[in-house]
């Protein structure tokens, strides 16, 4: 067999494989209902996701905000419906930059006594410089009202524009969001603490995590300075992972966790507990 015949044979195989792959992908794309989302590609066979992504997780899916019936046969009302959907469709991306507070005095018996250590202040300075180097047009900075978070936020602000709006929120205070799985033997809060803290931290998630409003025309960057338990729970909820797995993650002091929320409602975790901008001697987690 000549090299030309071999090449022609190989070409037929490639075309055949491409056609089959294209057909399988087409079959997959045609199955729109969540129950029928079974991937059928060249590398997977009859794969059914264990968890189906909820595109309306923030209750801001444009279709769900429009009251006009999309099944109305009247062309004018159908056009009105389409215009309303377009009006309620987000156009910008929201970036939430979550910062864990710096190292603090673990021996403090009250919140006021759990202030930043010398290392914690140095970590906050390094985080501020990192945010400065990213050179984003930050919309605002929000922090928990606990001492270590407020002190961390105030140090970070020294590296950011003087006119940056600042907010404090009790919703972002540290707490026990949900009983972790698997349990941690050395940390067992009372059930009422999960009951109380969990509702508050979930309220914080719903308040800060959502796609951009339709009238937002440019991408936004918001800084949220709070606590490890809160951030880890936020990440699980945002990615629609089982929230009880939050304690399986570890976050360094002063670290950056970056969550992006697209106009479609899709969520991307760009960084989790990033602390590579700190010298190794400045990194801590407990």
């Amino acid at each position: 067999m000549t090299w030309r015949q071999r090449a022609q044979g190989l070409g037929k195989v490639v075309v055949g494989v491409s056609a089959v792959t294209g057909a399988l992908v087409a079959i997959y794309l045609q199955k729109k209902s969540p129950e029928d989302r079974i991937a059928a590609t060249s590398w997977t066979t009859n794969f059914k996701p264990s968890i189906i992504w909820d595109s309306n997780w923030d209750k801001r899916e444009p279709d769900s905000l429009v009251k006009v019936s999309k099944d109305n046969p009247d062309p004018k009302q159908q056009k009105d419906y389409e215009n309303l959907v377009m009006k309620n469709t987000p156009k910008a991306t929201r970036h939430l930059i979550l910062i864990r507070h710096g190292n603090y005095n673990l021996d403090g018996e009250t919140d006021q006594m759990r202030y930043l250590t010398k290392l914690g202040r140095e970590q906050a300075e390094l985080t501020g410089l990192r945010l400065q180097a990213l050179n984003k047009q930050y919309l605002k900075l929000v922090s928990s009202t606990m001492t270590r978070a407020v002190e961390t936020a105030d140090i970070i602000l020294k590296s950011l524009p003087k006119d940056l709006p600042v907010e404090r929120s009790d919703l972002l205070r540290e707490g026990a969001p949900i009983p972790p799985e698997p349990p941690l033997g050395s940390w067992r809060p009372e059930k009422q603490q999960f009951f109380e803290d969990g509702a508050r931290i979930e309220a914080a998630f719903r308040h800060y995590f959502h796609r951009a409003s339709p009238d937002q025309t440019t991408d936004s960057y918001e800084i949220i300075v709070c606590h490890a338990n809160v951030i880890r729970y936020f990440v699980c909820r945002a990615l629609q992972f089982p929230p009880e797995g939050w304690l399986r993650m570890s976050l360094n002091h002063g670290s950056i966790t970056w969550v992006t929320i697209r106009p479609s409602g899709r969520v991307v975790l760009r960084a989790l507990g990033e602390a590579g901008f700190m010298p190794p001697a400045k990194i801590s987690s407990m």
Side-chain angles (χ1 to χ4, degrees):
M1 182 182 292
T2 66
W3 66 269
R4 188 182 300 277
Q5 290 173 323
R6 291 176 180 172
Q8 290 174 343
L10 180 61
K12 292 178 181 178
V13 171
V14 171
V15 171
V17 171
S18 298
V20 172
T21 302
L24 290 173
V25 171
I27 291 173
Y28 172 65
L29 292 176
Q30 288 173 1
K31 296 181 178 180
K32 297 180 180 179
S33 65
E35 297 78 11
D36 292 331
R37 270 191 210 173
I38 300 176
T41 65
S42 59
W43 61 91
T44 61
T45 304
N46 295 331
F47 171 76
K48 189 170 184 178
S50 58
I51 298 177
I52 302 298
W53 177 260
D54 177 11
S55 61
N56 195 27
W57 60 274
D58 60 349
K59 310 307 176 190
R60 299 192 181 205
E61 188 77 15
D63 283 352
S64 70
L65 298 176
V66 177
K67 305 303 181 184
V68 179
S69 173
K70 58 184 176 183
D71 298 323
N72 195 305
D74 187 325
K76 182 179 183 305
Q77 291 200 17
Q78 178 64 25
K79 188 64 176 178
D80 290 343
Y81 167 79
E82 294 172 356
N83 289 338
L84 284 172
V85 169
M86 183 62 65
K87 182 179 179 181
N88 284 278
T89 298
K91 306 167 187 63
T93 295
R94 295 183 68 225
H95 298 272
L96 301 180
I97 300 177
L98 309 166
I99 310 295
R100 186 190 179 191
H101 57 76
N103 185 278
Y104 67 103
N105 175 30
L106 285 170
D107 295 327
E109 296 183 358
T110 64
D111 175 59
Q112 290 73 22
M113 293 301 294
R114 296 189 182 110
Y115 47 76
L116 294 184
T117 62
K118 180 177 182 295
L119 174 60
R121 293 192 294 273
E122 293 172 339
Q123 290 167 336
E125 290 174 3
L126 290 167
T127 304
L129 292 174
R130 175 59 175 167
L131 293 175
Q132 181 187 75
L134 290 174
N135 196 30
K136 302 299 183 182
Q137 295 295 319
Y138 300 112
L139 181 65
K140 62 181 178 180
L141 182 149
V142 186
S143 83
S144 155
T145 54
M146 298 187 83
T147 299
R148 54 191 183 273
V150 171
E151 290 182 343
T152 299
D154 288 346
I155 293 172
I156 288 174
L157 284 167
K158 295 177 182 179
S159 298
L160 301 178
K162 302 299 183 185
D163 59 348
L164 182 67
V166 178
E167 299 176 9
R168 314 289 189 192
S169 174
D170 286 331
L171 290 177
L172 295 168
R173 293 173 71 88
E174 184 63 300
I178 189 174
E181 179 60 39
L184 185 64
S186 61
W187 185 75
R188 289 183 178 274
E190 296 296 329
K191 291 182 179 180
Q192 68 264 24
Q193 186 176 350
F194 285 114
F195 183 75
E196 296 173 1
D197 292 351
R200 171 178 56 78
I201 296 172
E202 173 64 19
F205 172 78
R206 298 188 185 198
H207 181 75
Y208 292 106
F209 281 73
H210 55 78
R211 71 195 79 186
S213 62
D215 56 0
Q216 181 176 324
T217 57
T218 59
D219 294 355
S220 60
Y221 297 81
E222 301 169 47
I223 303 169
I224 300 177
V225 182
C226 54
H227 310 269
N229 292 359
V230 177
I231 295 172
R232 292 182 286 188
Y233 178 79
F234 283 172
V235 168
C236 287
R237 288 285 284 110
L239 297 179
Q240 297 186 22
F241 292 165
E244 60 269 21
W246 63 273
L247 199 50
R248 303 173 200 172
M249 293 177 276
S250 178
L251 299 178
N252 292 319
H253 291 119
S255 63
I256 294 175
T257 296
W258 187 332
V259 177
T260 295
I261 305 175
R262 302 293 186 195
S264 64
R266 193 177 195 122
V267 177
V268 178
L269 181 63
R270 297 172 62 104
L272 176 66
E274 179 189 353
F277 52 87
M278 295 186 187
K282 302 298 181 183
I283 297 176
S284 67
S285 60
M286 296 298 293

